[in-house]
Amino acid sequence: MKKSMLLVLSAILLFSFALAGCGSKPSESSSSGSAPEESGGKKLKVGMVTDMGSVNDKSFNQSAWEGLQKLKEDFGYEVKFLEPKNDAEVIPSLNQFVKNKYDLTWATAETLDAAVKQIASENPDAKLGIIDAGVEVPNVASVLFKENEGAFLVGVIAGLMTKSNKIGFVGGMEIPVIKRFEAGFREGIKAVNPDASFKPLYTGQFVRVDMGKSAASTLYNEGVDIIFHASGLTGNGVFNEAKERVARGERVWVIGVDKDQSLEFGDEITLTSMIKKVDEAVYQISKDLADGNFPDGKITYMGLKEKGVDVAPTSSKNVPQDILDKVEQYREQIIEGKIQVPTT
């Protein structure tokens, strides 16, 4: 009897081992790429603090957030954003990511540079990144775009396509990054149409759609037929004003900024857009951290040569080919250093 029981128990044990050997393996990641990982094997946690605008501003902040979402899609990163509603919320927002041990915290505007410098100095083991400012602290990666170069190209388009010979610019705050947009646009117009008049207007805000609409109304009423905006969410008001006027039979245009804004506002009012590849900068530098190549304390410059700025690929819908050919000629001259585009 004891011998029989031993045989039965042995058989059960053998069967159990066989089942264990045939069991399913741990599920693999469903992301589209193999995740770069830090030492220790954990995937990165990356946070983003916007300027005073919404992450869904159809422009700058949205582009940065799309870069982080692509990291999540490609590599399974944990990503999150915070939207400070006033200046007093900026440092607590940055601190929230740092204190929660996020591997990298992005700030998406020049206006956040002082806060980034303070948080980075107080937390030397944390990694931070900032767009549109150079923060000279060892644990911060800074990205500066040559907006003036991309703006020059859309200035060429505006200068050759204006019918009224009056061209406008709507800016947000008068800070260096926006002045680079204005300067490049102005010089592009001047290069191909020195007789055109140019008028810039600044709203002082990046989050006031109503002020953008009012500024556009002022310019259009003065005979301007093309407006380039560099004003974040405020620029949505420029598009709103143009849409109303086009519906009434007027022929006015808007040149979008940062993203291809024709995809949001339509080809009937968007002449072209100046692309600023914030999404790619955020994506690549975040991945560099995971790969052990984080540009600590360095400034990465992105212009036409680096493919950091460009004209929207949909420009051919409204811009004749001969004008696009002229744009390409100027692009090459800028890349080759034959044209130095002013920044102010």
Side-chain angles (χ1 to χ4, degrees):
M1 180 69 176
K2 289 181 179 179
K3 186 175 181 180
S4 298
M5 288 294 292
L6 287 170
L7 288 171
V8 171
L9 289 171
S10 297
I12 292 171
L13 285 170
L14 287 170
F15 184 65
S16 299
F17 288 140
L19 282 176
C22 295
S24 60
K25 296 178 181 179
S27 60
E28 298 180 355
S29 171
S30 60
S31 61
S32 59
S34 58
E37 297 177 346
E38 290 188 302
S39 57
K42 71 184 185 70
K43 295 174 184 177
L44 294 188
K45 294 169 64 178
V46 184
M48 183 185 96
V49 176
T50 71
D51 64 2
M52 297 302 126
S54 164
V55 76
N56 296 314
D57 60 0
K58 317 300 182 187
S59 183
F60 188 86
N61 289 317
Q62 184 171 328
S63 181
W65 178 236
E66 286 172 357
L68 291 189
Q69 288 179 305
K70 190 172 189 299
L71 285 167
K72 179 179 180 180
E73 178 184 343
D74 289 353
F75 305 117
Y77 287 10
E78 180 180 334
V79 298
K80 183 178 179 180
F81 68 86
L82 292 173
E83 299 174 309
K85 301 305 179 187
N86 53 60
D87 291 338
E89 293 182 1
V90 172
I91 286 180
S93 296
L94 291 167
N95 253 328
Q96 183 171 325
F97 289 124
V98 170
K99 300 307 181 186
N100 284 319
K101 305 299 181 184
Y102 271 64
D103 300 285
L104 177 59
T105 302
W106 281 100
T108 64
E110 178 183 0
T111 52
L112 308 183
D113 61 343
V116 167
K117 186 173 184 179
Q118 177 181 329
I119 295 297
S121 299
E122 293 173 352
N123 300 274
D125 294 330
K127 301 289 188 186
L128 293 96
I130 186 166
I131 302 292
D132 287 342
V135 176
E136 297 180 2
V137 179
N139 52 328
V140 178
S142 303
V143 182
L144 287 173
F145 287 84
K146 299 176 184 179
E147 295 89 356
N148 49 315
E149 294 183 352
F152 185 100
L153 298 186
V154 295
V156 168
I157 292 173
L160 293 174
M161 291 201 67
T162 179
K163 302 300 183 185
S164 67
N165 241 22
K166 295 180 180 180
I167 300 168
F169 174 82
V170 172
M173 297 174 66
E174 290 195 62
I175 54 179
V177 57
I178 306 303
K179 296 301 286 186
R180 290 196 294 272
F181 279 107
E182 179 195 339
F185 187 56
R186 180 192 69 231
E187 294 303 309
I189 295 167
K190 189 186 301 184
V192 296
N193 187 354
D195 295 328
S197 65
F198 173 70
K199 182 170 183 179
L201 277 183
Y202 282 82
T203 65
Q205 295 284 339
F206 289 113
V207 295
R208 291 286 300 274
V209 176
D210 60 326
M211 294 178 72
K213 191 174 188 302
S214 176
S217 179
T218 297
L219 290 172
Y220 288 138
N221 284 342
E222 293 179 0
V224 163
D225 61 348
I226 300 174
I227 295 175
F228 178 35
H229 91 91
S231 55
L233 188 65
T234 298
N236 292 5
V238 178
F239 282 100
N240 292 345
E241 180 66 21
K243 186 175 182 178
E244 291 179 8
R245 288 175 180 258
V246 168
R248 296 198 300 264
E250 295 182 39
R251 182 62 278 173
V252 297
W253 294 105
V254 183
I255 296 177
V257 73
D258 297 333
K259 294 169 60 65
D260 183 351
Q261 294 197 295
S262 71
L263 303 178
E264 177 69 26
F265 297 103
D267 299 314
E268 68 278 3
I269 56 173
T270 311
L271 178 60
T272 182
S273 295
M274 197 214 89
I275 303 296
K276 180 174 171 178
K277 299 181 181 178
V278 178
D279 54 342
E280 293 189 18
V282 168
Y283 181 96
Q284 187 57 52
I285 290 177
S286 300
K287 186 176 179 298
D288 285 345
L289 173 60
D291 293 338
N293 300 315
F294 188 69
D296 297 83
K298 297 179 181 178
I299 299 175
T300 299
Y301 291 93
M302 300 185 70
L304 288 175
K305 184 177 181 180
E306 299 80 15
K307 302 185 186 304
V309 295
D310 208 340
V311 175
T314 55
S315 299
S316 59
K317 293 181 178 179
N318 290 318
V319 183
Q321 188 58 50
D322 62 322
I323 293 179
L324 292 177
D325 291 342
K326 182 72 70 173
V327 167
E328 289 307 307
Q329 293 172 19
Y330 279 105
R331 178 202 302 275
E332 291 306 313
Q333 292 182 63
I334 293 170
I335 290 174
E336 292 170 6
K338 295 177 180 177
I339 294 177
Q340 299 290 329
V341 184
T343 57
T344 57

